[in-house]
Amino acid sequence: MNKKVRQERKQLKYEKRIRRFVASVTLYVNREGEYIYYPTTQYIMRDNGQLAYKTCSTPCSCWGCSGEYKYKRHEQKKIEMRLIQEGLDEFLNP
């Protein structure tokens, strides 16, 4: 794979990460210190904001960036089965 293709893929991945970031933010502070409400992907990219997303997928360890609170079906099923079992135990053994 040549360098141009790698750079294009890197840029596409950066745009995708910025789109995900924009979906969860309502206020953005640009480099001049101005507050922008409901920024667009193109605005943040023109401002060269969030450059950490260009080189790494998780720029920080907060719950929004790290994906800590992703929906995990198998864990949800375990929680639901435990709650059902507790409810049945209370119903059958008052």
Side-chain angles (χ1 to χ4, degrees):
M1 184 174 354
N2 59 14
K3 188 174 182 179
K4 183 178 180 185
V5 174
R6 284 196 310 268
Q7 288 177 343
E8 288 173 355
R9 288 186 179 178
K10 181 179 177 182
Q11 184 66 20
L12 288 173
K13 191 70 171 175
Y14 173 61
E15 289 175 17
K16 185 177 179 181
R17 289 173 180 160
I18 290 294
R19 269 189 247 119
R20 193 177 325 129
F21 170 75
V22 167
S24 64
V25 71
T26 56
L27 178 67
Y28 177 73
V29 181
N30 65 4
R31 293 184 181 269
E32 287 81 34
E34 300 170 356
Y35 293 100
I36 307 298
Y37 293 95
Y38 303 104
T40 61
T41 304
Q42 295 301 321
Y43 181 81
I44 292 178
M45 290 175 64
R46 271 187 269 131
D47 188 47
N48 289 328
Q50 300 297 326
L51 288 178
Y53 282 112
K54 212 168 222 183
T55 56
C56 66
S57 60
T58 54
C60 69
S61 61
C62 76
W63 66 270
C65 296
S66 66
E68 179 182 344
Y69 294 108
K70 288 185 178 176
Y71 176 72
K72 296 177 182 152
R73 184 169 172 77
H74 65 280
E75 290 180 6
Q76 187 66 27
K77 286 172 75 175
K78 287 180 187 177
I79 292 170
E80 289 175 358
M81 289 304 292
R82 182 179 51 82
L83 292 173
I84 290 170
Q85 190 63 37
E86 288 176 1
L88 285 174
D89 289 343
E90 290 178 8
F91 180 72
L92 296 176
N93 302 322

